[in-house]
C-alpha cells in the first residue's frame, strides 16, 4: 500500500511536469496578440493634449530655436572678427620684420643690376655674331 502511494505520487508529479511543459510552450502568435491588446488598452489610457496647447508649445519651440540660432550667429561673428583682428595684428608684426629684410635686399639689388647689365652685353654680342653668320651664309 505504501508502494502504491509512492508510485501514484510519482505519476502525479510526472503528469504535472508534462502539463507545465505544455503550458510553458505557449503559441507565439497568442503572445503577440496579447501584447498588442495590452498596447491598445494602454493607448486608451493616454491623455492627449488639446489642439491649442499643441500649437502653443510648437510656437514656443520655434521661437526658442530662432533665438538660440541668432545667439550662436552673434557669438560666431564676434569670434571670427576677433580672430581676423588677431591675424591682422600678426601680419602687421610680420610685415614690420619683412620691411627690415626689404632694406637689406635693396643693397643686394644694386649688385644684381650690374650682373643683369653684363648679361645683356653678352646677349648683344651673341646676336651680332648670329647676324654675321647669317650674312655669310647668303
Amino acid at each position: 500500500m505504501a508502494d502504491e502511494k509512492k508510485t501514484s505520487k510519482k505519476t502525479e508529479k510526472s503528469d504535472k511536469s508534462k502539463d507545465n511543459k505544455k503550458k510553458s510552450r505557449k503559441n507565439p502568435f497568442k503572445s503577440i496578440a496579447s501584447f498588442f491588446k495590452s498596447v491598445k488598452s494602454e493607448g486608451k489610457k493616454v491623455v492627449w493634449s488639446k489642439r491649442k496647447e499643441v500649437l502653443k508649445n510648437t510656437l514656443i519651440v520655434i521661437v526658442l530655436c530662432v533665438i538660440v540660432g541668432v545667439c550662436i550667429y552673434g557669438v560666431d561673428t564676434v569670434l571670427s572678427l576677433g580672430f581676423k583682428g588677431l591675424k591682422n595684428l600678426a601680419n602687421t608684426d610680420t610685415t614690420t620684420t619683412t620691411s627690415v629684410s626689404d632694406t637689406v635686399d635693396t643693397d643686394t639689388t644694386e649688385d644684381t643690376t650690374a650682373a643683369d647689365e653684363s648679361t645683356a652685353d653678352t646677349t648683344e654680342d651673341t646676336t651680332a655674331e648670329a647676324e654675321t653668320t647669317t650674312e655669310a651664309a647668303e
Side-chain angles (χ1 to χ4, degrees):
M1 192 156 190
D3 291 333
E4 289 177 14
K5 287 182 182 179
K6 288 182 182 178
T7 54
S8 65
K9 286 183 182 180
K10 286 181 183 179
T11 54
E12 286 177 20
K13 287 182 181 179
S14 64
D15 289 338
K16 287 181 181 179
S17 65
K18 287 180 184 178
D19 290 337
N20 287 339
K21 286 181 183 178
K22 287 181 181 178
K23 288 180 182 178
S24 65
R25 293 185 190 173
K26 290 183 178 180
N27 187 354
F29 295 108
K30 287 183 181 179
S31 299
I32 292 171
S34 66
F35 170 76
F36 283 111
K37 284 179 184 176
S38 65
V39 168
K40 187 176 179 181
S41 67
E42 288 296 323
K44 289 179 182 178
K45 294 177 186 176
V46 174
V47 177
W48 296 98
S49 301
K50 302 289 181 192
R51 182 178 174 91
K52 283 185 178 182
E53 189 177 346
V54 171
L55 289 174
K56 177 184 165 189
N57 289 338
T58 303
L59 183 65
I60 289 171
V61 168
I62 291 172
V63 168
L64 285 175
C65 286
V66 168
I67 290 171
V68 169
V70 168
C71 289
I72 290 173
Y73 174 76
V75 168
D76 182 52
T77 304
V78 168
L79 288 175
S80 65
L81 289 174
F83 282 118
K84 283 181 183 177
L86 287 174
K87 187 176 178 183
N88 287 338
L89 285 175
N91 286 340
T92 304
D93 292 342
T94 307
T95 54
T96 308
T97 308
T98 310
S99 298
V100 172
S101 64
D102 286 342
T103 56
V104 173
D105 288 342
T106 308
D107 295 337
T108 58
T109 306
E110 294 172 3
D111 295 337
T112 46
T113 308
D116 289 341
E117 289 174 2
S118 65
T119 307
D121 292 338
T122 309
T123 307
E124 289 175 8
D125 293 339
T126 309
T127 309
E129 288 176 12
E131 288 175 3
T132 321
T133 309
T134 309
E135 290 175 3
E138 293 175 358

